[in-house]
Amino acid sequence: MSAQGSPKITLIRSVNEQPILRHSESEGVSADVVTSDKMSVFSRLHSLRGKVRLFGHFFHAQFLLLAVVEYLSFVSVYLFVSPLLDTTRLSSPLAQRWPEAAFAGMILVLAIASMGLYDARQREGIKGALIRLMVACLSGLLAMILLDALFSLFTTDAAYIGEFVLLAIVYSIGLRIYFYKFVDGNVLQRRVLVVGAGRRAASIDKLRRKTDQRGFELVGYVRTSPDEPVQVGNHKLLDIDDDIRHFAVEHQIDEIVIAPDDRRRRLPLEGLIDCRMSGISITDLLDFFERETEKIRLDLIQPSWLIYAEGFKRNILRSVAKRAFDILISSVMLLICAPLMALTALAILLEGKGRGPVLYRQERVGRDGRCFNLYKFRSMRADAEKDGVARWAQPNDSRITRVGSCIRKYRLDELPQLWNIFVSDMSLVGPRPERPEFVEQLSKVNALYKERHRVTPGLAGWAQVCYPYGASRKDSMEKLQYDLYYVKNHGLLFDFYILVQTAEIIFFKKGVR
């Protein structure tokens, strides 16, 4: 015991001689005695750690901070640094230049986001990140020059915009080197305590990649009872003498995750209520995984969770706005892409020497289970399924033609689906529509597969952003977890975020088969 009677952690030995952390109190000190300083610090900061929910989606606080710092820095560079290269530009009033600076900074931030550089799933090292940063800034520069040529958004010339982007690249490289070395995975993490030590709780321990653990720091596990089977490492097992609130506040726990294998086991309800009333978050295991992995774990899902979970909502205004956005973008894209679509059709005709259709029509399952005809440019031989049996596409599929391989690589085969979007069979964003034969098979594997059809299928989707191309039952079940996440949390701004992220897939040819 310490001289002043403060709580402490000691090591005890379990039955298999592995050390277990044990928390105990000094005699005469109540567990309710907690310093107000720790409580005030905790209550002010815990909601800013880990992942932050915005517009139905979860973003890492670290990357949100990076985006805000970069945006403000880009605006400052445009206003105060770039003019130093040509002092005559300082004569224009600040009030005239700041809207341009705000717009230029936003274009660069969106370009960087489109390369996945604010995405926690980005697993490339600093070299790969810098390459993506260069590509993002170049595309941002081209976008600004094009928009300025069309709408005269800037009072400066193209040379000034180029100088601004060059300075922004230099600054952003230095900032990101510092970020990846000192900030990423080191600050703004939630300290998490898990109630439960069985199979369900052990699933958290399997998140071993840095990308999966960016948002939290696992403090340890607490057994619900002495006879609960243990499937977590004993070095992470805690014995806190039934005083969970005092331990949580003393060790600055931000969140307690409830993860017993058997819901009928006795939980420390009084202590958990005390923690909740003290401002500590209490989270169900499935909600924890939804936030940290951005998908809904099929192996942990329970019917009661589906009934009571937030989300899965329908909003008439959101639906009308989304439909209007689909009509606007699909009609504009059909006009812009018309020459490219004509060249693609010509290439298919020349390769096939005029034999075989240019467009491939295939029945797919849409919203509420209704079927529709999906259109694509034909990328396989005309006799690819001459026996009438539906097959998954395979790696290096021999049925794919040379032109087909090229248009698949850059997603050009999907362009005719803009018509499906225009006539409301599809949306710009949503779960990818699947063939009726596969839907029937996959619904037998997991009954939740049909829940994908609660929303309109899309040209781009959350599963395509998060998961590489897959064409098997196993891959479909993995993608279903991301599709359910989208169905639960979909919204206009989340759709926009998915569209921005899709640029990375097209440019770097991720998931192409």
Side-chain angles (χ1 to χ4, degrees):
M1 296 290 181
S2 63
Q4 298 180 0
S6 60
K8 67 176 183 178
I9 301 293
T10 57
L11 283 176
I12 65 173
R13 292 287 171 181
S14 64
V15 291
N16 57 358
E17 295 302 313
Q18 293 293 324
I20 299 178
L21 289 174
R22 181 180 180 87
H23 174 269
S24 59
E25 283 189 10
S26 297
E27 296 178 1
V29 179
S30 169
D32 294 328
V33 179
V34 181
T35 62
S36 59
D37 288 343
K38 287 183 179 179
M39 288 301 297
S40 62
V41 170
F42 169 81
S43 61
R44 285 198 307 267
L45 297 179
H46 84 281
S47 60
L48 300 178
R49 299 177 189 149
K51 282 194 169 183
V52 180
R53 190 178 192 120
L54 293 175
F55 318 121
H57 183 54
F58 296 98
F59 298 88
H60 272 282
Q62 300 167 10
F63 286 93
L64 285 178
L65 177 63
L66 176 63
V68 170
V69 170
E70 278 194 320
Y71 174 71
L72 295 177
S73 301
F74 293 155
V75 171
S76 299
V77 167
Y78 191 96
L79 289 176
F80 306 114
V81 181
S82 293
L84 296 178
L85 299 177
D86 186 350
T87 55
T88 59
R89 291 164 176 160
L90 290 172
S91 59
S92 58
L94 185 65
Q96 182 180 352
R97 288 185 286 125
W98 79 260
E100 300 176 15
F103 181 74
M106 182 59 65
I107 291 292
L108 276 189
V109 167
L110 287 175
I112 292 172
S114 71
M115 293 294 106
L117 293 176
Y118 298 129
D119 188 352
R121 293 183 307 276
Q122 187 60 253
R123 298 189 179 100
E124 294 189 10
I126 185 65
K127 182 179 178 181
L130 293 181
I131 292 174
R132 288 171 180 264
L133 179 63
M134 299 291 288
V135 173
C137 289
L138 178 60
S139 60
L141 172 62
L142 294 176
M144 281 185 272
I145 292 175
L146 178 62
L147 290 172
D148 186 47
L150 293 174
F151 305 107
S152 299
L153 298 174
F154 297 96
T155 58
T156 57
D157 54 16
Y160 183 85
I161 297 175
E163 292 168 1
F164 156 68
V165 172
L166 181 61
L167 290 171
I169 290 175
V170 173
Y171 172 81
S172 192
I173 288 175
L175 177 63
R176 285 182 174 273
I177 290 174
Y178 176 84
F179 175 82
Y180 288 119
K181 187 173 182 179
F182 298 107
V183 178
D184 187 23
N186 297 316
V187 300
L188 297 179
Q189 289 183 307
R190 287 194 179 200
R191 289 174 57 80
V192 172
L193 179 67
V194 181
V195 175
R199 178 187 60 83
R200 288 168 61 86
S203 59
I204 296 178
D205 223 16
K206 295 178 181 178
L207 298 176
R208 297 193 176 108
R209 294 180 302 192
K210 180 183 177 181
T211 52
D212 295 325
Q213 297 181 2
R214 275 191 169 109
F216 70 95
E217 177 188 354
L218 180 61
V219 176
Y221 299 87
V222 179
R223 297 173 76 179
T224 56
S225 65
D227 61 335
E228 181 185 18
V230 175
Q231 295 192 26
V232 301
N234 279 326
H235 64 288
K236 296 182 181 179
L237 201 60
L238 303 171
D239 186 343
I240 59 176
D241 291 338
D242 296 324
D243 188 6
I244 192 169
R245 177 185 180 270
H246 191 96
F247 178 88
V249 175
E250 183 69 19
H251 295 85
Q252 299 183 353
I253 300 299
D254 299 301
E255 181 176 38
I256 297 174
V257 178
I258 309 300
D261 285 347
D262 188 349
R263 291 272 178 166
R264 295 169 296 181
R265 285 188 176 274
R266 177 179 172 271
L267 293 174
L269 292 180
E270 185 176 347
L272 291 175
I273 292 173
D274 204 0
C275 289
R276 183 67 183 87
M277 295 299 102
S278 298
I280 300 172
S281 297
I282 308 295
T283 305
D284 182 78
L285 179 64
L286 194 53
D287 291 323
F288 173 82
F289 271 108
E290 179 190 357
R291 184 187 71 221
E292 296 302 326
T293 63
E294 299 170 348
K295 64 183 180 181
I296 294 177
R297 289 277 297 266
L298 295 176
D299 57 331
L300 300 175
I301 201 167
Q302 295 175 333
S304 60
W305 183 86
L306 286 171
I307 294 172
Y308 295 112
E310 294 184 6
F312 300 110
K313 297 177 181 178
R314 294 194 178 187
N315 184 296
I316 295 177
L317 291 177
R318 182 176 63 193
S319 299
V320 171
K322 182 171 182 174
R323 180 64 192 137
F325 183 72
D326 285 341
I327 293 174
L328 174 64
I329 299 301
S330 61
S331 57
V332 170
M333 291 299 294
L334 280 169
L335 291 174
I336 293 175
C337 295
L340 184 59
M341 294 171 71
L343 290 175
T344 303
L346 180 61
I348 294 172
L349 281 173
L350 291 175
E351 184 182 38
K353 298 179 180 179
R355 295 189 295 270
V358 171
L359 290 177
Y360 178 60
R361 186 178 66 180
Q362 193 177 70
E363 190 177 38
R364 297 291 178 102
V365 179
R367 183 167 183 166
D368 298 324
R370 294 190 296 268
C371 292
F372 68 95
N373 287 321
L374 177 141
Y375 296 96
K376 299 176 71 172
F377 281 121
R378 182 172 60 84
S379 59
M380 291 188 176
R381 301 193 312 267
D383 61 350
E385 291 183 353
K386 59 182 178 181
D387 56 0
V389 179
R391 295 181 177 86
W392 301 101
Q394 301 298 323
N396 303 315
D397 200 315
S398 60
R399 299 174 296 169
I400 298 176
T401 64
R402 285 181 297 177
V403 171
S405 177
C406 179
I407 63 176
R408 277 175 171 247
K409 184 179 296 183
Y410 296 101
R411 302 292 202 261
L412 299 180
D413 60 322
E414 312 281 1
L415 288 178
Q417 290 169 48
L418 291 170
W419 175 254
N420 288 117
I421 296 171
F422 185 77
V423 298
S424 81
D425 290 331
M426 294 174 59
S427 176
L428 281 169
V429 179
R432 287 293 294 161
E434 196 50 87
R435 301 174 68 173
E437 301 91 335
F438 295 148
V439 170
E440 183 179 359
Q441 296 173 18
L442 296 169
S443 296
K444 294 177 181 178
V445 176
N446 193 302
L448 290 175
Y449 192 82
K450 64 180 182 296
E451 303 303 330
R452 300 170 73 252
H453 307 132
R454 299 288 183 179
V455 297
T456 306
L459 179 62
W462 184 236
Q464 284 65 46
V465 169
C466 300
Y467 192 80
Y469 184 92
S472 68
R473 290 187 181 184
K474 180 181 177 181
D475 290 330
S476 295
M477 290 299 106
E478 287 292 329
K479 289 191 289 187
L480 174 60
Q481 299 179 108
Y482 295 103
D483 286 334
L484 289 177
Y485 177 90
Y486 176 79
V487 173
K488 181 176 183 291
N489 301 299
H490 69 98
L492 290 177
L493 291 175
F494 188 22
D495 285 359
F496 179 73
Y497 178 72
I498 291 172
L499 289 174
V500 170
Q501 294 284 290
T502 302
E504 179 192 8
I505 297 175
I506 297 173
F507 190 87
F508 287 98
K509 298 174 288 214
K510 290 174 60 178
V512 173
R513 181 171 294 180

